[in-house]
Amino acid sequence: MDNHTTDNTARRYKAYVSILGTTQLHLRSPSIIAWWSAAYPGFGHLLLSKYLRGFVLFIWEVFINLNANINLAILYSFQGKFDMATNVLDSRWLLAYLPVYFFAIWDSHRTTVDMNKVYLLAERENHRFNIFSIGTMEINYLDKRNPIMAGIWSALVPGSGQLYIHRLVTALFVISWTVAFLYLSHILEAVTLLFLGDISQSTAVLRAEFLLMLPSIYGFSIYDAYVNTVENNKLFEKEQRKFLQDNYQDSNFKILKGEKVNE
């Protein structure tokens, strides 16, 4: 149940609030979005709320990366073992990986440019949208929250920052893959052994191909939670401003720019 039903009288809407989350258009940097796609294909599209495309690219990255041994090759390169890095790569999978990798970067950049144009048109139209949604399982509403807290919770547990700002789709996706990578990388087991003083065994149990996926997950979760909290706060202020103007401001009121008002 929404407090406002979309009647499709607007050509473009700035935002949509549902029980699954708040989706909105706002200005984004195409270069930053493309960078996140380069860091991990799919992340750039998730930042744009292009969930289906982002999920496909993310799963493709995981599948091809593991089969091509890309993370192992990266690890050996960092250690200066270039011969081992070359030998461990599977060229059959690697050649399938590269076109999709570059597509993710190009498409996220192109989509950001297009969505920025759509946002400017939607902002000019400034049509009403729902700000409250309640259902059997969830309640979502537009309000202001703390960006710092969103970032801190994401740093502690990736996905919890998204839960804080009610981005349930992204939260479920990030939490699921974080748990999978934590388990498969044996990092928690390694930390336990490290505290016990068994450094060699701690290093031996780690699986680098899964471990190297965690920094991207943590970084994305923090950035996504922080940025979306800031933008949700801006959206809340704009909606409040429009409500007060429509319901309480005199229709004849005008701001006279550049003119001195006599006391």
Side-chain angles (χ1 to χ4, degrees):
M1 182 183 298
D2 299 335
N3 70 324
H4 172 71
T5 303
T6 301
D7 53 11
N8 293 324
T9 56
R11 295 190 68 189
R12 299 168 183 86
Y13 292 91
K14 289 191 296 184
Y16 178 71
V17 176
S18 72
I19 59 173
L20 293 179
T22 300
T23 304
Q24 65 164 306
L25 292 169
H26 61 83
L27 292 177
R28 299 175 173 92
S29 168
S31 299
I32 291 177
I33 298 298
W35 185 90
W36 277 110
S37 290
Y40 208 109
F43 280 168
H45 291 85
L46 291 180
L47 288 169
L48 297 173
S49 297
K50 292 276 190 176
Y51 296 114
L52 294 180
R53 204 179 306 183
F55 295 161
V56 169
L57 290 170
F58 184 95
I59 294 171
W60 173 271
E61 161 71 18
V62 173
F63 180 77
I64 300 296
N65 190 310
L66 294 176
N67 282 281
N69 297 319
I70 293 174
N71 280 352
L72 285 177
I74 293 173
L75 177 64
Y76 290 142
S77 298
F78 287 162
Q79 295 174 342
K81 302 174 182 178
F82 300 109
D83 290 337
M84 293 182 66
T86 304
N87 293 332
V88 79
L89 282 173
D90 190 326
S91 60
R92 295 174 301 173
W93 290 105
L94 182 63
L95 293 177
Y97 172 85
L98 292 175
V100 178
Y101 178 79
F102 289 116
F103 167 80
I105 299 172
W106 172 81
D107 186 65
S108 62
H109 186 280
R110 176 198 62 82
T111 303
T112 306
V113 172
D114 288 344
M115 289 180 65
N116 285 345
K117 295 176 183 177
V118 173
Y119 164 76
L120 294 175
L121 294 172
E123 181 71 14
R124 181 178 292 273
E125 191 169 355
N126 199 25
H127 200 279
R128 184 184 176 189
F129 58 91
N130 67 307
I131 62 169
F132 182 89
S133 182
I134 184 171
T136 305
M137 301 294 292
E138 264 295 346
I139 302 173
N140 187 23
Y141 48 89
L142 197 60
D143 68 339
K144 296 188 73 172
R145 299 184 185 179
N146 190 337
I148 301 297
M149 288 305 302
I152 290 174
W153 280 115
S154 291
L156 294 173
V157 181
S160 58
Q162 281 71 21
L163 288 176
Y164 171 62
I165 60 173
H166 208 95
R167 283 174 63 83
L168 297 186
V169 176
T170 304
L172 177 62
F173 187 79
V174 171
I175 290 173
S176 299
W177 282 101
T178 299
V179 170
F181 292 149
L182 285 173
Y183 178 80
L184 294 171
S185 66
H186 297 273
I187 187 171
L188 298 181
E189 181 183 353
V191 170
T192 303
L193 291 169
L194 182 63
F195 285 155
L196 294 174
D198 194 344
I199 299 177
S200 58
Q201 186 62 24
S202 173
T203 305
V205 299
L206 287 173
R207 295 190 63 184
E209 63 269 32
F210 296 104
L211 179 64
L212 291 183
M213 294 184 180
L214 287 172
S216 298
I217 289 279
Y218 273 85
F220 166 78
S221 181
I222 296 169
Y223 179 82
D224 177 78
Y226 182 89
V227 168
N228 278 285
T229 306
V230 171
E231 295 300 332
N232 284 354
N233 290 347
K234 292 179 183 177
L235 186 66
F236 174 82
E237 291 175 352
K238 290 178 181 178
E239 194 281 330
Q240 287 282 296
R241 188 182 303 117
K242 179 173 173 56
F243 174 79
L244 294 174
Q245 289 173 346
D246 293 344
N247 292 276
Y248 296 100
Q249 182 172 292
D250 192 309
S251 59
N252 296 319
F253 175 79
K254 293 183 179 179
I255 298 177
L256 303 177
K257 295 183 178 180
E259 297 185 18
K260 184 177 180 180
V261 178
N262 294 324
E263 296 180 358

